[in-house]
Amino acid sequence: MRSRLRGAGAAAAVIALALVVAGSWFGYQQLAGPSCSGQIQLSLAAAPEIAPAVKAAADQWVSDGAAVGPTCIAVNVASAESSDVAAAVASKHGATLAGIGQPSRTAVTPDVWVPDSSTWLLRLKNGGATAFAPANGASIARSPVVVAVPEPVASAKLGWPEKKLTWTDLLRQVITSKPPLRAGIVEPTQDAAGLSGLLALSAAASSVGGTDPVKAQEAMTGALRALATNRSSLRQDLLARFPRSKDPTAIANGLGAAALSEEDVMAYNATEPPVELAALYLDGAMPLDYPFAVLPGIEPAKASAAKVLFEVLTTPGFRNRLAAQSLRAPDGNWGAGFKAPQGAPSPAGGASVPPTGQGGTAGLDPSAIERATTTWAVATQSGRMLAVVDVSGSMKQPVPTARGASREQVTVAAATRGLDLFDDSWSIGLWVFSTNLRGSQDWKPVIPIDRLSNNRSELRQGLGSIKPSAGNTGLYDTVLAAYKEVQKGWEADRVNSVVLFTDGKNEDDNGISRAELLQQLKKLKDPEQPVRVIIIGIGPDVSKTELETIAKQADGGAFIATDPTKIGEIFLQAIALRPAAPR
């Protein structure tokens, strides 16, 4: 029973706060009294599947008299998709996430956020939110990421439940089996389970390719294209594509496999569909870990309240609340009432998630996540692009980290590899530029903009023919001409862009000035027909300020590859971070 020493005054309040900060639930229980002199409003946003358990536990805590010293605590728990909160946090902290658009106009960031995965925290930090440093971040629940397969397909095609499959086996079923397994995915840039499956398939593609990066990319591109055919931005839409009848034709034509959480499969089967889903537990998929992230900037009293709420959400009783929502405890075990799918391991296997008390992003590979999300975005979106490559004399310089290959060779190799990721719906053209390439003109068209279904081989040959000239860098005139070219053939429902590679500053004394270029771009800009300019600076001689100023005026971005061997990665990042519609 609680003590009624509320009249102990300021000293008691100080002691209570100290005990809360120390994380002592017992001390808190003893010092929190029945009356309040004020109230702390703590807002918490949680992924929809865990929100009911969090709300029930928080409501019980508040009902029991939650307080920090003389101040009572009210907890407002809101169910919110992790991608929606991520968009709001990214906007607040100046981060950019591939596949995540602008937040809704009514979106606000909470005091505490429980997304479905720590990958959201890592992507925000890696996406430019340098000041984003949430406290705690420890896991309060877990749900393994599984491959969901209709039971008849799982038994007939995959040997379930007897056969133990790997992600490499699944990859081969998707891209080489006859007929191929119809796999789908929830957009991995917007869904943590989809991202986990994509990362596992990426690792499998690397193993298929062995030491040959070309074969690895071919395997990965094949898998991405197959998944993209049955992708969905909403989990419920994807689930609706599974067969809804036991008729063999319906099963053959329905979705055959998708990376989902264990909770997704359990919730789906709980609706008693005509064809239930089998959950295949393949080693190597990163589980959803539901980190308890106290967002930066909240006041100390709220932070103290959040510390105690975290303890409430790590009690044995909360484990049973999780079980009612088809979720496991952070250690992978489950509470009372959990109806495990056939073959479910206990504790859950899968990739390692740090134990309670450690930051949830520990052990995650930010570079692997970035590669996966950018490669997916490039391989599955469609656009119209004019690639413009610097062929000035400085592009002859050797790159020490590329075994002596020149800047030009490294750039062309990166562009050629990138070309393989674009599907035939893209429209791409190629220019080169220096100074005085055509009389006094600094740029020269190589391949006109056209659908890749028509000009892919010509583009590959055009890239292969690029050689540095003896000229300088005619940057300003070229940017303006390229902008006009893309604007002239502008196409609706596509991102129309100029992507320019350069290793220097403008060196054309006979061309327009930077001020004139910016003025012309401002005059040409049409909000109804936007054109985006992306500039990739190569090596140490570029002026970042110059490139950023130009790109900003054209609604684009500047990316600097101080190490030219990183051009390929930066190119994919630049293409992937295209504008997205507001939510």
Side-chain angles (χ1 to χ4, degrees):
M1 180 176 289
R2 296 181 183 213
S3 168
R4 300 191 180 269
L5 299 178
R6 180 64 71 189
V14 171
I15 295 171
L17 181 58
L19 285 169
V20 169
V21 172
S24 172
W25 172 247
F26 176 76
Y28 156 77
Q29 286 278 68
Q30 294 299 311
L31 289 166
S35 61
C36 304
S37 61
Q39 190 178 74
I40 297 170
Q41 293 281 346
L42 188 68
S43 63
L44 185 150
E49 62 271 26
I50 197 174
V54 173
K55 179 172 172 50
D59 287 350
Q60 182 65 54
W61 179 46
V62 170
S63 177
D64 289 344
V68 172
T71 307
C72 283
I73 301 167
V75 184
N76 177 28
V77 178
S79 171
E81 291 290 345
S82 299
S83 58
D84 291 336
V85 180
V89 174
S91 178
K92 180 178 180 179
H93 290 272
T96 309
L97 303 183
I100 300 295
Q102 295 299 312
S104 66
R105 293 173 178 83
T106 59
V108 294
T109 56
D111 300 319
V112 180
W113 181 26
V114 183
D116 53 10
S117 172
S118 291
T119 55
W120 290 110
L121 308 181
L122 191 63
R123 287 180 64 192
L124 283 162
K125 187 75 173 179
N126 219 42
T130 54
F132 180 69
N136 197 330
S139 172
I140 63 168
R142 191 177 198 186
S143 188
V145 170
V146 301
V147 177
V149 182
E151 287 190 355
V153 177
S155 59
K157 195 172 181 70
L158 303 177
W160 175 84
E162 291 80 12
K163 186 177 180 180
K164 176 68 174 177
L165 295 173
T166 66
W167 285 98
T168 302
D169 295 330
L170 181 67
L171 180 66
R172 292 193 176 105
Q173 287 284 345
V174 169
I175 63 177
T176 62
S177 69
K178 302 295 181 184
L181 181 65
R182 294 188 62 190
I185 194 169
V186 185
E187 288 283 352
T189 56
Q190 302 174 23
D191 182 84
L195 175 58
S196 176
L198 183 63
L199 288 168
L201 279 175
S202 298
S206 296
S207 67
V208 168
T211 58
D212 187 339
V214 175
K215 288 184 178 180
Q217 180 163 309
E218 287 176 351
M220 192 61 210
T221 302
L224 293 179
R225 300 269 164 78
L227 291 173
T229 302
N230 292 293
R231 73 183 187 272
S232 175
S233 58
L234 297 175
R235 195 175 305 120
Q236 289 306 314
D237 288 350
L238 186 78
L239 288 166
R241 297 181 187 181
F242 283 112
R244 307 296 296 178
S245 165
K246 293 183 178 180
D247 178 74
T249 301
I251 292 173
N253 293 333
L255 187 65
L260 295 167
S261 71
E262 180 184 65
E263 183 273 334
D264 288 329
V265 174
M266 293 173 68
Y268 181 86
N269 287 343
T271 65
E272 299 183 354
V275 179
E276 291 197 347
L277 297 178
L280 277 57
Y281 294 81
L282 278 57
D283 292 338
M286 183 172 51
L288 305 186
D289 65 319
Y290 301 91
F292 185 90
V294 182
L295 299 190
I298 70 170
E299 57 195 75
K302 286 186 176 182
S304 298
K307 283 176 181 275
V308 185
L309 177 58
F310 172 72
E311 288 198 11
V312 173
L313 301 179
T314 54
T315 61
F318 186 65
R319 178 179 298 225
N320 294 334
R321 294 188 192 276
L322 290 173
Q325 300 303 127
S326 301
L327 293 169
R328 302 175 184 234
D331 61 5
N333 290 302
W334 56 67
F338 186 86
K339 299 178 181 178
Q342 183 174 354
S346 181
S352 174
V353 167
T356 299
Q358 297 182 23
T361 58
L364 300 181
D365 183 354
S367 61
I369 292 172
E370 187 170 44
R371 280 195 304 272
T373 54
T374 54
T375 302
W376 168 263
V378 170
T380 59
Q381 70 186 17
S382 181
R384 181 172 174 273
M385 178 178 74
L386 177 59
V388 184
V389 181
D390 189 344
V391 292
S392 61
S394 57
M395 291 290 282
K396 298 176 184 177
Q397 290 191 27
V399 177
T401 53
R403 299 180 180 178
S406 69
R407 290 177 180 175
E408 196 76 77
Q409 289 171 322
V410 171
T411 301
V412 168
T416 303
R417 287 195 300 272
L419 180 64
D420 292 336
L421 286 175
F422 297 114
D423 68 23
D424 284 347
S425 68
W426 274 80
S427 293
I428 299 179
L430 177 65
W431 284 12
V432 294
F433 79 102
S434 178
T435 50
N436 304 319
L437 281 184
R438 275 188 165 183
S440 61
Q441 180 177 294
D442 294 338
W443 66 94
K444 182 174 72 174
V446 180
I447 305 293
I449 301 174
D450 196 3
R451 292 292 174 100
L452 280 179
S453 56
N454 299 326
N455 73 352
R456 186 183 293 273
S457 61
E458 287 84 354
L459 274 168
R460 190 180 297 279
Q461 291 171 9
L463 285 167
S465 71
I466 290 177
K467 299 290 188 296
S469 70
N472 295 320
T473 306
L475 180 62
Y476 299 157
D477 284 358
T478 301
V479 169
L480 182 59
Y483 189 96
K484 290 178 178 178
E485 179 70 15
V486 173
Q487 191 176 55
K488 182 174 64 179
W490 191 90
E491 293 184 26
D493 300 322
R494 314 181 93 194
V495 174
N496 294 255
S497 60
V498 175
V499 179
L500 184 144
F501 301 83
T502 183
D503 74 338
K505 302 182 286 288
N506 184 72
E507 298 169 328
D508 183 7
D509 296 333
N510 298 317
I512 60 174
S513 67
R514 187 196 306 182
E516 289 173 313
L517 170 62
L518 297 177
Q519 184 180 26
Q520 287 287 332
L521 290 174
K522 184 177 182 180
K523 185 185 298 184
L524 288 167
K525 187 184 298 186
D526 181 354
E528 297 300 319
Q529 295 187 356
V531 173
R532 188 176 186 224
V533 173
I534 298 167
I535 306 177
I536 300 176
I538 304 163
D541 301 326
V542 295
S543 169
K544 184 178 181 181
T545 301
E546 177 181 57
L547 301 187
E548 286 179 339
T549 302
I550 296 169
K552 183 178 180 181
Q553 185 62 60
D555 300 322
F559 299 79
I560 309 301
T562 52
D563 178 357
T565 60
K566 303 297 183 184
I567 293 171
E569 296 175 22
I570 292 175
F571 174 55
L572 294 182
Q573 292 170 25
I575 299 299
L577 297 179
R578 68 181 195 170
R583 290 164 175 264

